[in-house]
Amino acid sequence: MWSPNGERIGFTRDTHKTAFDIFTIKPDGTDLKQLTFSAGNDAHCAWSPDGKQILFSSSRLGFRDEAPLYDGSPQPYAELFIMNADGSNQHTISDDKWEEGTPAWEPQPSQLQSKATLQSNNQ
């Protein structure tokens, strides 16, 4: 996933043959940085529109009490986390029995785009 300013690429890598972590790198292949180091899998990173934060899913909270009630979800243990683009200030923003995977940011539309949407919806 390219950062909004195009200066870094975020990706997931198998680090210990049992876990995945999130990294960033410059487009020319230099300045590799590992951002997560959890025992669980960290994956599916998405840059915030301003490039200051990264949203990702993680299994670091483990299985929930509801795991025996498994309902066919592919991974009933991933939660959403957010961190600063440098990997600092990692914290969860979801906590339930459902898998929270492949998150994405949606930029807020500009005032001009909002007015155009309202006009087209009213026709």
Side-chain angles (χ1 to χ4, degrees):
M1 177 67 80
W2 286 85
S3 65
N5 64 10
E7 293 181 5
R8 298 198 72 77
I9 301 168
F11 64 96
T12 300
R13 174 190 265 179
D14 182 351
T15 53
H16 304 49
K17 302 203 187 295
T18 58
F20 291 86
D21 285 296
I22 296 175
F23 291 76
T24 63
I25 195 167
K26 289 184 176 180
D28 66 3
T30 63
D31 197 27
L32 177 68
K33 293 183 180 178
Q34 184 173 350
L35 303 182
T36 63
F37 297 84
S38 74
N41 290 324
D42 296 330
H44 310 296
C45 62
W47 294 90
S48 64
D50 64 7
K52 293 181 180 180
Q53 296 179 304
I54 298 174
L55 183 63
F56 63 100
S57 61
S58 177
S59 65
R60 65 177 69 180
L61 297 181
F63 284 95
R64 314 318 256 166
D65 293 337
E66 296 87 351
L69 303 175
Y70 176 67
D71 64 356
S73 299
Q75 296 174 312
Y77 53 80
E79 298 297 337
L80 292 181
F81 280 72
I82 194 166
M83 65 181 159
N84 294 336
D86 65 1
S88 65
N89 195 27
Q90 297 181 21
H91 59 278
T92 185
I93 60 171
S94 70
D95 187 4
D96 57 35
K97 76 172 190 167
W98 311 109
E99 192 224 352
E100 317 293 354
T102 60
W105 290 85
E106 182 176 323
Q108 218 173 7
S110 69
Q111 287 182 348
L112 184 59
Q113 290 170 322
S114 296
K115 287 178 185 177
T117 300
L118 286 174
Q119 288 172 352
S120 68
N121 287 341
N122 291 330
Q123 292 179 2

